[in-house]
Amino acid sequence: MKPNKLLITAVILYLNTGCMSTLDKMAGVGQINTEISEFSGEKIVELSQSHNYSIKGKVNTQFGARWVSDNPESVSLKLIYNSDSSTGDAFTSYEGISVSISGETIDFDAGRTYRNRSDYNDLTRVIYTTSTAYVPIPLDYLKSMIEADNCKIRIYSSDGYEDISFDVEKNGSTEYSKLKIKRFIEEVERNK
């Protein structure tokens, strides 16, 4: 299907259903995948990128997550920044995050930031880019973030910082990363 027809189809689906989750599924946003590694035999549960909420509006960083059965008490929170060559910052470099649960703050370091780019897109006339970093977090702490009524996350990068309101699961038909990570944890628990 040509990109224009795909976009028109997506808009029609959205207008007919009024459901943002339909578009998310089509775009692969917030999807959970469970597999067994052919190489090592370990179970892997992975959450694709999901939207974050901020009271200030647009958030550039999306969250994903990854759990591996060989290290069952830890999870990697994925920080994902999608951009393109038409913007000033096609990439970012993540440094870490600070998590505040009811005013008590803990810092976590991000590992190396991986940078990927697409080929030049003749239709849109840009090169699409992705910056991804993994932040190791104890699984129990991630659960406490999900259970908290008041959880804020500050993401540090080469572009400064962004603040996430991690206490909002859903707004209308839009599901945010807190709800997606809650479902991810449920899948992890089934595979432990």
Side-chain angles (χ1 to χ4, degrees), residues 72-92:
E73 299 309 317
S74 182
V75 66
S76 292
L77 184 66
K78 288 169 56 177
L79 310 178
I80 305 159
Y81 174 76
N82 294 309
S83 191
D84 61 62
S85 60
S86 68
T87 64
D89 283 336
F91 292 105
T92 195

Side-chain angles (χ1 to χ4, degrees), residues 51-52 61 65 69 72 75 86 114 117 134 143 145 188:
H51 304 293
N52 282 314
T61 299
S69 61
V75 66
S86 68
Y114 298 91
R117 61 186 288 275
Y134 295 86
K143 289 177 186 176
M145 291 168 60
V188 166

